[in-house]
Amino acid sequence: MSLDLNAIGYQIQSLRRLKGYTQNQLGDFVGVSFQAVSKWERGETLPDIGTFVLLAEVLGTTIDHIINGGKKKMEYKGRKTIDEIKKGINCLIDMGNLLGKENLFYRSAIEGIDTKMNMETECYLAEPQTYEAVVAEAALQCILSGYYIDTKDIERSFISEHWKKLVTEYAKKHAMSELPEAIN
């Protein structure tokens, strides 16, 4: 594995600034000089392993997140199709129809989605245009979680050109450079 010192340095700097710390403050927190922090941020050197542990803790992240330059390391979880995603979303709709929309299981699921996704799930699922937006968002979440979705499947499964384009861009951007043999 080849480390990108500049990306690591940029990540340290970004996290430090996000926390509102100066180089001097961060250095004090982890027991090094501000010059050492400056060298890390310029990509000249790396913290030693013991310092990395404390650095990640102080910055509220993980060592892996810093070393990967803020990029999430994708772990291939398998293939997904848009039909499978629609089927999952339709299960939520079916839950409301089968259990009743006031049932605690259904309400909890809907309220959880509403809160986490900042949307009115029931309204979005009721209209064909916004239903497709929910499918697109679910597809993006699958891609970001490590699932592979074929771009041809995306092309044939969405009506809206906007959603086709957006999901395809994500699929290409976040696709693993080397997929396991099983899907080739």
Side-chain angles (χ1 to χ4, degrees), residues 102-118:
E102 296 307 314
N103 182 284
L104 187 57
F105 282 99
Y106 176 75
R107 290 278 16 115
S108 296
I110 292 297
E111 289 169 13
I113 296 168
D114 287 352
T115 301
K116 290 281 188 183
M117 302 296 294
N118 193 25

Side-chain angles (χ1 to χ4, degrees), residues 65-82:
H65 191 250
I66 296 171
I67 289 176
N68 287 316
K71 295 178 184 169
K72 184 177 177 186
K73 187 177 177 184
M74 296 297 275
E75 181 181 318
Y76 175 71
K77 293 183 180 171
R79 280 183 181 260
K80 283 277 182 235
T81 66
I82 301 299

Side-chain angles (χ1 to χ4, degrees), residues 6-78:
N6 289 323
I8 294 168
Y10 181 77
Q11 184 63 12
I12 293 169
Q13 182 183 61
S14 297
L15 292 168
R16 174 183 61 78
R17 287 181 174 170
L18 189 64
K19 290 284 189 178
Y21 300 148
T22 65
Q23 288 180 339
N24 203 28
Q25 288 171 316
L26 182 59
D28 287 346
F29 292 145
V30 298
V32 299
S33 67
F34 77 88
Q35 292 96 333
V37 174
S38 178
K39 286 182 178 182
W40 299 341
E41 291 182 358
R42 290 193 313 264
E44 294 176 12
T45 63
L46 288 175
D48 63 45
I49 191 66
T51 304
F52 248 128
V53 173
L54 186 54
L55 180 65
E57 185 179 317
V58 168
L59 294 175
T61 191
T62 63
I63 295 171
D64 186 54
H65 191 250
I66 296 171
I67 289 176
N68 287 316
K71 295 178 184 169
K72 184 177 177 186
K73 187 177 177 184
M74 296 297 275
E75 181 181 318
Y76 175 71
K77 293 183 180 171

